[in-house]
Every structure is written in C-alpha cells, then in structure tokens.
Amino acid sequence: MFDKFKDKITKAATEGFSIPITSKMIAGLIEKKTGEKDIDVHITPEHIVLRGTTEIKKLMLTKKVAFTITLKPVQSDKRTILFQLVHMKPFDIKFINNKLFNRPPFFEYHNRRIKIDFNSWDVVKKVPVGQIRSFELVEGALNIKLSL
C-alpha cells in the first residue's frame, strides 16, 4: 500500500498534475468579480474569446456596450499565466479592459497584457504545492499542468 502511494507521488513529481480550467469557470469568476451578468467565454485551441456587455458611464449618461475580447496565452511564471490582448471589438478601450481585468489577486491588467493568478482559484488551491509547468488551450478548456 505504501509503495502504491509512493509511486503516485513519484509520478506526480515527474509528470505533474493536470487541472482543466473550463470556459464556464472563467466566465463565472469574471461575473463574480466584476458584477457583469452576461459574460460568455469560448476557448479554442488558439485563443480565449470573451463576449458580453458592460455599462459605460460618462457625463451622467449610462450606456450598455457589447464587447468581444480575444486573448492568447503567452507565458507562465510560478502559478500565473500571462495573456496578450490580441483583439477587442467594437473598439479598444482601456477603461473596459481595466474594469474587467484589473481585479487583484485574480486578474491584473497592464499594457494590453492580462495576468491571471491561478493560485487564488479554488480548484488550484486544492493542490497546495507546485508551479505551472505547462499550459494548453483545447476546445472548451485551458489545461494547466502543475509540477512539484
């Protein structure tokens, strides 16, 4: 019995733990942290596409603006992944990006780059040790692999 446990730990140390982060999980976290109610996240093998609406207030006027944001993962460091803002519709407004993605410790936005700290996510907290060894976008999920 101890040998089985030892083999599992050894395998996890060499290969790492694979944790899928689904589009639903990302949408739920964004909705929870920003208060937006209609965020839709679609993950393809190349990009993460976020669609939704947000309110813009200017000079006592409030208007709902629909947006589409395309993100591409660039690099990982410890338990964070840095994403490049590839495209934004209808127009690239720093205000919308800040409103959605400047939510420390979960998200940080700076200079068209979004850093997502997965250490603050409950599903990753279940594995208290390790760093992100690799990440991969697949249809419907972002698979991250934690190594010891």
Side-chain angles (χ1 to χ4, degrees), residues 39 50-54 65-69 88-90 96 100:
I39 301 293
L50 295 99
R51 290 184 182 91
T53 58
T54 188
V65 175
F67 64 86
T68 302
I69 298 173
M88 184 167 179
K89 285 184 182 178
I96 293 175
L100 291 175

Side-chain angles (χ1 to χ4, degrees), residues 46-61:
E46 294 85 30
H47 298 99
I48 296 177
V49 180
L50 295 99
R51 290 184 182 91
T53 58
T54 188
E55 284 187 357
I56 295 180
K57 296 177 184 177
K58 192 162 189 172
L59 300 173
M60 299 186 332
L61 296 173

Side-chain angles (χ1 to χ4, degrees), residues 75-82 115-117 131-132 135:
Q75 69 184 39
S76 66
D77 180 38
K78 297 182 183 176
R79 286 187 165 214
T80 63
I81 296 179
L82 189 64
K115 183 167 78 169
I116 299 179
D117 184 0
Q131 298 180 8
I132 295 176
F135 55 87

